[in-house]
Amino acid sequence: VSKGYKAGSFGQISGAIVDAYRGVKQAHLIDYEIGYKLQLMDRKLSVNGAFFYYDYRNKQLRAKFIDPIFGGLDQLVNVPKSTVKGAEIEINARPTDGLTLSASAMYLDAKVKKYIGVVGLHREPNGLLAPDLESFAGRRLPFSPKFQYTVRVDYDTPITDSLNGFVGIGAHGQSKTSGVLTTLGVQPADIFDIKAHTIVDANVGIHAADNAWRLTLWGKNIFNKFYNTNVIQAYDSVVRYTGMPVTYGVTLGFRM
């Protein structure tokens, strides 16, 4: 069990009125966690796992507020109460010499428990815009995909008495999530979604049998998957930040 704090702050988001820069309170978290570590089959198989429960108070998140002239803008807000329940597992297996299989997965149930936020807007008789509010209890927190996972296979084998060759391939991904806590009712409900994606990386190379040096040819996102890492609204524009495209490189390393 542990407890942590995040200091109060002011939003760094461009606003049109003073209310956009309203400060947020200090946030705090109590973390309850229990886990296990297992070594099986003469240490050829290891299994690690954990279950955790995060109890947040005044969590600081990007959400929406209504500017009376410009409409829906982003703002740093406090969510009075939210929780994250989750479990994670990591498996590493070495069934034969040189072959390593690894996998990990995480499940998250991250939800708001108490927060009144913006879901839409309307125009007042004086011509200014005003917010439509409702409870967000039960809605998922942003940047909290329900599932995250990684799988990888690596093989290292002698080529000569002094030289080894190796090859590896792995994939990591997540289910869909959202970049902002709230969405405006005048826009499609999924406009701030960060879609599910899986990225594949690979490497191949040679190294000295005593690991004095290593030469690696590597590739990241080798299938050039197009995906987003964040989505925000900047006044009348929705901005999506994209992940890195296919990237290749060579690394030469020495051990002194």
Side-chain angles (χ1 to χ4, degrees), residues 97-99 155-167 204-216:
D97 290 343
L99 178 63
Y155 186 64
D156 189 311
T157 187
I159 299 175
T160 67
D161 290 342
S162 60
L163 187 66
N164 280 34
F166 63 91
V167 62
V204 63
I206 54 176
H207 68 87
D210 61 358
N211 289 312
W213 58 268
R214 176 179 292 260
L215 177 65
T216 307

Side-chain angles (χ1 to χ4, degrees), residues 28-129:
H28 77 261
L29 160 70
I30 301 179
D31 170 19
Y32 305 91
E33 187 167 348
I34 185 171
Y36 57 89
K37 295 179 180 291
L38 302 176
Q39 295 285 343
L40 307 171
M41 301 174 63
D42 195 24
R43 297 184 177 271
K44 291 182 178 180
L45 176 64
S46 62
V47 182
N48 304 325
F51 302 91
F52 52 88
Y53 177 83
Y54 297 162
D55 187 1
Y56 284 99
R57 293 293 188 276
N58 291 318
K59 185 174 177 63
Q60 299 170 13
L61 291 175
R62 181 196 296 265
K64 292 296 179 184
F65 87 106
I66 300 300
D67 179 281
I69 298 174
F70 295 104
L73 301 177
D74 283 358
Q75 184 180 40
L76 188 65
V77 304
N78 285 120
V79 174
K81 181 174 173 56
S82 58
T83 61
V84 178
K85 306 171 190 174
E88 57 186 350
I89 186 170
E90 179 183 0
I91 301 172
N92 288 280
R94 295 168 294 278
T96 62
D97 290 343
L99 178 63
T100 302
L101 310 176
S102 59
S104 63
M106 178 184 291
Y107 168 79
L108 291 179
D109 180 16
K111 291 183 178 179
V112 174
K113 295 298 182 181
K114 182 181 179 182
Y115 174 66
I116 304 296
V118 174
V119 295
L121 73 167
H122 64 274
R123 193 172 295 278
E124 296 285 328
N126 61 8
L128 298 179
L129 298 173

Side-chain angles (χ1 to χ4, degrees), residues 182-200:
T182 62
T183 58
L184 299 179
V186 296
Q187 297 171 324
D190 62 352
I191 197 168
F192 295 107
D193 279 359
I194 299 173
K195 295 182 179 180
H197 57 266
T198 298
I199 306 302
V200 179

